Amino acid sequence: MNLSVFMLAGIFSGLAFGGHFLLWRLHRPKDDLSALAACMLGLPCLFAGALLLYGGFSLATLAAALLLACCLGLAYLFWYPAAQAVSPTMLMTLLVAWRGGEGMTAEELREAIPETVLTADTFENLFAEGFAYLDGEKVHLSARGRRTLKWILLLRRLAGFGEPRG
Amino acid sequence: MAMPDFLTALLLAAAHVPLSLLLNRLTLKLRPQKRDLPAQGTFFKSALLALLLLGSLCPFLLGEGPRERFLWSLYVVVLLGCQCLVFISVMCVSESGRRFFLLVRIAANPGVGLEALKASYRGDDMLTIRRERLVHWGVMEARAGRLVLKKRSAYLYSLFFYLWGRLLGFRWFAGKGKGRLL
């Protein structure tokens, strides 16, 4: 193990975050999550492949650096929706915190966060990201939706948690 | 860099998943939570404990010489730290993520009508359950009918996400009816 592993992982991650930031500022993709996965996991893999062919690094060094960068990217992939979909929990925390010691009543909070903010893109994103599809007026889970649901519910069960409450 | 060391690091990273799950189940057994309002942070703490346990093995299993051992330990700790972040995010998304919750609803009612689905998950329900959860976690407290922030770390965490969202060009709205940019 040497420092070049960390240095390479830093370069891979920098490339991934740079690509993500630029793409989002210039033209945000409709299917956020697939584009983000391509930035966070695809870009480092491509760069590592090029370095393997022309960079003179050993396979183990590149694999270790790539694994580190992909783990960082994966962690980011999972916490990105909170920033993208305007997490209501965080929005409530911010609004209450900005009122200081005075705080807010439930009604004030309800008025401050209109229905449109809470549900605006939620349904559209569900279809745009391919988790569900519309058959006339009826909603069905897509293969991607079923897969996601299966794995996350399995992890929850293994961790000892019950059904989510939304 | 030695390949066997890299494979050992991979094994340690793989062992982190079942160990975290096991520790979480043990924690839930020893300190039962309110079942319908699980503390998502419990799983993060279990994952951190698993990280400490596995991380402490690194100097004995990886590298030759103090410098190599230190670098390998650092590598494994960063790797497992990322896994901890994935765990907490998965737990948060699966518990309170709106899209995920809708997937659960659709799976329970295949072929549900779009309008019926929208009607079954309204803003009021979202705010009520989140208010209960924030008070249950001790992030906020209810004083004479008013919610007041208790945990500053939760505010800083939310502020970070808000600023990052704004930096990426997302618009966080709040306000009466028409919506006011925060």
Side-chain angles (χ1 to χ4, degrees), chain A residues 27-43:
Chain A
H27 181 72
R28 193 181 329 140
K30 204 173 171 194
D31 181 356
D32 287 42
L33 293 179
S34 300
L36 193 60
C39 284
M40 291 293 146
L41 310 175
L43 276 179

Side-chain angles (χ1 to χ4, degrees), chain A residues 1-3 5-6 17 20-21 24-25 28 32-33 58-69 71-76 78-123 125-127 129 131-132 134 137-141 144-146 148-150 152-153 155-166, chain B residues 1-3 6 10 13 17 21-22 24-25 28 33 35-40 42-43 67-68 71-72 74-75 78-79 82-83 85-87 89-91 93-104 106-107 109-115 117-119 121-124 126-127 129-134 137 139-140 143 145-149 151 154-155 157-162 164-180 182:
Chain A
M1 167 65 71
N2 48 46
L3 279 173
V5 171
F6 293 94
F17 276 95
H20 160 53
F21 185 74
W24 261 242
R25 290 304 300 190
R28 193 181 329 140
D32 287 42
L33 293 179
S58 72
L59 179 64
T61 302
L62 279 172
L66 188 62
L67 183 69
L68 202 56
C71 265
L72 270 172
L74 201 62
Y76 179 71
F78 276 98
W79 64 255
Y80 163 82
Q84 176 257 337
V86 189
S87 156
T89 307
M90 292 182 183
L91 193 55
M92 288 167 78
T93 308
L94 286 174
L95 289 171
V96 169
W98 285 336
R99 281 289 190 93
E102 183 196 346
M104 287 175 99
T105 63
E107 288 72 33
E108 283 170 342
L109 254 180
R110 186 70 196 88
E111 276 182 20
I113 310 174
E115 182 88 17
T116 47
V117 173
L118 295 168
T119 54
D121 300 330
T122 308
F123 292 93
N125 284 341
L126 209 59
F127 302 123
E129 288 163 0
F131 288 112
L134 265 175
E137 263 300 296
K138 293 187 186 301
V139 187
H140 294 277
L141 284 184
R144 185 186 194 181
R146 273 197 298 276
T148 308
L149 195 66
K150 190 175 92 180
I152 296 187
L153 284 180
L155 191 68
R156 276 182 72 86
R157 270 197 286 277
L158 288 174
F161 292 124
E163 291 288 308
R165 284 193 64 189
Chain B
M1 201 181 82
M3 201 53 149
F6 178 56
L10 278 184
V17 180
L21 292 168
L22 199 70
N24 193 63
R25 288 194 82 100
L28 290 178
Q33 314 274 320
R35 292 293 298 178
D36 54 350
L37 286 174
Q40 293 155 20
T42 311
F43 195 47
R67 186 176 181 275
E68 258 225 328
L71 286 175
W72 268 115
L74 183 68
Y75 178 79
V78 175
L79 211 61
C82 289
Q83 285 191 186
L85 284 177
V86 171
F87 287 150
S89 309
V90 169
M91 285 304 141
V93 165
S94 71
E95 183 58 34
S96 58
R98 283 165 288 174
R99 270 171 283 180
F100 185 76
F101 187 67
L102 285 172
L103 291 186
V104 174
I106 299 167
N109 308 287
V112 62
L114 182 60
E115 288 311 313
L117 187 67
K118 282 182 176 174
Y121 194 38
R122 294 205 165 276
D124 277 332
M126 290 178 201
L127 291 185
I129 180 66
R130 277 160 184 79
R131 218 171 43 235
E132 276 179 33
R133 207 180 272 138
L134 286 167
W137 291 340
V139 171
M140 290 182 196
R143 274 188 222 151
R146 299 187 80 82
L147 286 167
V148 179
L149 187 82
K151 227 183 229 175
Y155 165 62
Y157 188 69
S158 305
L159 188 65
F160 171 76
F161 274 86
Y162 161 66
W164 182 244
R166 299 284 292 120
L167 208 63
L168 286 178
F170 297 121
R171 308 200 303 175
W172 281 43
F173 282 111
K176 278 186 182 173
K178 61 182 183 291
R180 173 175 61 86
L182 278 183

Side-chain angles (χ1 to χ4, degrees), chain B residues 1 12 34 45 57 71 96-97 123 128 135 147 159 175:
Chain B
M1 201 181 82
L12 286 171
K34 204 172 161 186
K45 284 174 199 155
L57 294 177
L71 286 175
S96 58
T128 305
V135 172
L147 286 167
L159 188 65

Side-chain angles (χ1 to χ4, degrees), chain B residues 12-75:
Chain B
L12 286 171
H16 185 236
V17 180
L19 188 59
S20 304
L21 292 168
L22 199 70
L23 287 172
N24 193 63
R25 288 194 82 100
L26 206 64
T27 312
L28 290 178
K29 209 161 230 175
L30 294 176
R31 293 179 54 199
Q33 314 274 320
K34 204 172 161 186
R35 292 293 298 178
D36 54 350
L37 286 174
Q40 293 155 20
T42 311
F43 195 47
F44 186 57
K45 284 174 199 155
S46 306
L48 275 182
L49 185 60
L51 181 157
L52 282 177
L53 289 172
L54 292 170
S56 62
L57 294 177
C58 292
F60 304 105
L61 298 176
L62 297 164
E64 283 171 16
R67 186 176 181 275
E68 258 225 328
R69 282 196 191 111
F70 170 74
L71 286 175
W72 268 115
S73 303
L74 183 68
Y75 178 79

